[in-house]
Amino acid sequence: MDKRFTFALTTVKNASLRTHRTTVLTLRPSPTPSAEWSRRPHTGTTDLADLHIQHHQGDPLSRFRLHSQLAIGVAAIALSCTLTSCGGDSHDGHPFDASADHMGVAADNGLTSAKDGYNFVTDTTSISPSQRVDFAFHINAPDGKTQTSFVDDQAKLMHLYVIRSDATGYQHLHPTMGAGDKAGMWSVPLRIDSSGSYRVYAGFIAKDASNVNHELVLSQPLTVPGNAANTPIPPASDTSTVDGYTLKLSGDPMAGMHGSMTITITKDGTPVTNLERYLDTFAHLTAFKTDDLAFIHMHPSDSGNAANGGPTLQFMTEFPIKAGYRVFVQFQTLGQLHTAAFTVDAK
């Protein structure tokens, strides 16, 4: 009799499109003279993994070998599934595909100046310390022309981030695009006081000729000449203070998992409930991996169209790998923007 034992693991591949990928593990005795395992790809959204096991009877040594081969086979299938992203995307503590094409994961870590044919081109690679300049740049489209069509992303067509190699000097700016014959040419006032090696990131959504949107983060190095003394990365902490506000971080940052973190804001021990909307939400959170400044953008889950928010803010997180991250939280009260920073160790 061909006894079959089937184990099905289903994970959400794309929650918005409701597509799924299922991994099915089938165990059955095999008429072949030796135990073997194989993973067979299947068309569509389902992967089948068949493990063929020799039917041993009575022999303890054979049963031991069978169990060993079974364990190795299952482990190999799990490894194969991981390496080929069988699990796909899922949420809240489930694995995600670190090579997926969306913001905040390894494929879009912001450490390249070009992706999908789009190229981030700056007018300069160096600026003098403590001098305000108009930092100018443009985006080249795949056809080599200057990109002029962009889509709003959190109330802005373009986000520009600046950070030094030691994860200090963070700035989040919003350039303006020229009109007429200057269309596609961006500029923003920029001043950097401390010398050192910096990286400038452009975050945007470009619309192509077919009205397809391309969400990208591209970057270029920027040098500020002079003697630069690196600042050590602060140790991981769940508390940060800025402008008299105290931010408390809760949640367990997990690498390779979709998860969430909650930030609670108080002032003088009193919960803050007058958070104002900043970029269409009550807070904006950006993270950089501390060893190479890989970029991660985290999106908050807030109370919809409420005029005021707080004291708690929840963010969806996607830390691609185990590492230290410097996390910057921006929030606004009484018309003033505040920026707090945490060091987080994703495990």
Side-chain angles (χ1 to χ4, degrees):
M1 181 181 294
D2 185 17
K3 297 181 179 179
R4 300 171 63 92
F5 305 87
T6 301
F7 301 83
L9 171 65
T10 302
T11 55
V12 176
K13 180 63 178 172
N14 186 318
S16 62
L17 298 179
R18 300 203 177 275
T19 58
H20 299 73
R21 179 172 294 192
T22 304
T23 299
V24 180
L25 177 64
T26 303
L27 306 184
R28 65 169 180 261
S30 171
T32 57
S34 60
E36 61 179 355
W37 72 273
S38 63
R39 180 176 180 272
R40 293 194 294 106
H42 183 73
T43 58
T45 58
T46 302
D47 290 335
L48 297 181
D50 289 344
L51 186 62
H52 303 280
I53 303 297
Q54 178 186 357
H55 186 58
H56 297 272
Q57 295 189 16
D59 182 357
L61 180 58
S62 296
R63 287 198 301 271
F64 172 78
R65 289 171 176 166
L66 168 64
H67 294 159
S68 300
Q69 290 164 331
L70 174 61
I72 294 171
V74 171
I77 290 171
L79 176 60
S80 176
C81 183
T82 301
L83 293 178
T84 56
S85 305
C86 291
D89 286 341
S90 59
H91 294 277
D92 297 333
H94 296 290
F96 70 92
D97 181 358
S99 65
D101 188 17
H102 57 83
M103 189 176 296
V105 294
D108 283 335
N109 60 19
L111 294 180
T112 179
S113 62
K115 188 175 188 297
D116 296 341
Y118 293 89
N119 192 12
F120 174 37
V121 182
T122 60
D123 284 8
T124 182
T125 59
S126 178
I127 64 174
S128 299
S130 303
Q131 291 187 12
R132 177 171 166 161
V133 300
D134 284 330
F135 186 79
F137 64 94
H138 64 277
I139 307 297
N140 277 342
D143 61 5
K145 298 179 180 179
T146 300
Q147 177 73 22
T148 59
S149 182
F150 296 86
V151 178
D152 269 2
D153 179 20
Q154 290 191 301
K156 299 294 181 180
L157 292 177
M158 181 69 67
H159 297 261
L160 198 77
Y161 305 89
V162 181
I163 194 166
R164 201 168 77 154
S165 58
D166 59 357
T168 62
Y170 171 77
Q171 296 187 52
H172 177 191
L173 308 171
H174 302 112
T176 57
M177 183 172 64
D181 60 355
K182 295 292 185 181
M185 309 304 292
W186 296 87
S187 65
V188 64
L190 174 63
R191 172 176 168 155
I192 300 178
D193 292 328
S194 299
S195 301
S197 298
Y198 288 77
R199 198 155 195 93
V200 181
Y201 303 77
F204 58 92
I205 301 175
K207 178 179 287 188
D208 66 20
S210 301
N211 289 326
V212 176
N213 293 338
H214 303 264
E215 186 176 9
L216 298 167
V217 178
L218 306 175
S219 70
Q220 289 278 12
L222 181 68
T223 300
V224 180
N227 295 325
N230 283 344
T231 301
I233 302 292
S237 174
D238 62 0
T239 303
S240 179
T241 59
V242 60
D243 303 331
Y245 293 90
T246 299
L247 286 75
K248 183 75 172 181
L249 180 67
S250 61
D252 190 13
M254 299 295 292
M257 298 282 180
H258 286 279
S260 64
M261 295 191 308
T262 299
I263 296 175
T264 303
I265 304 177
T266 60
K267 188 171 186 178
D268 299 326
T270 302
V272 173
T273 58
N274 66 333
L275 297 181
E276 299 167 348
R277 286 195 169 272
Y278 171 64
L279 303 177
D280 279 347
T281 186
F282 291 123
H284 188 277
L285 190 150
T286 308
F288 300 87
K289 194 153 68 71
T290 55
D291 59 352
D292 62 3
L293 298 184
F295 178 97
I296 301 175
H297 188 199
M298 302 181 189
H299 298 279
S301 300
D302 59 33
S303 52
N305 295 321
N308 295 291
T312 60
L313 301 166
Q314 187 175 43
F315 293 86
M316 306 308 296
T317 62
E318 296 176 358
F319 294 105
I321 63 173
K322 295 180 180 179
Y325 296 84
R326 194 67 173 153
V327 178
F328 296 91
V329 182
Q330 294 182 291
F331 63 97
Q332 182 172 296
T333 58
L334 303 177
Q336 181 181 357
L337 183 64
H338 314 278
T339 303
F342 293 88
T343 300
V344 171
D345 286 334
K347 301 177 180 179

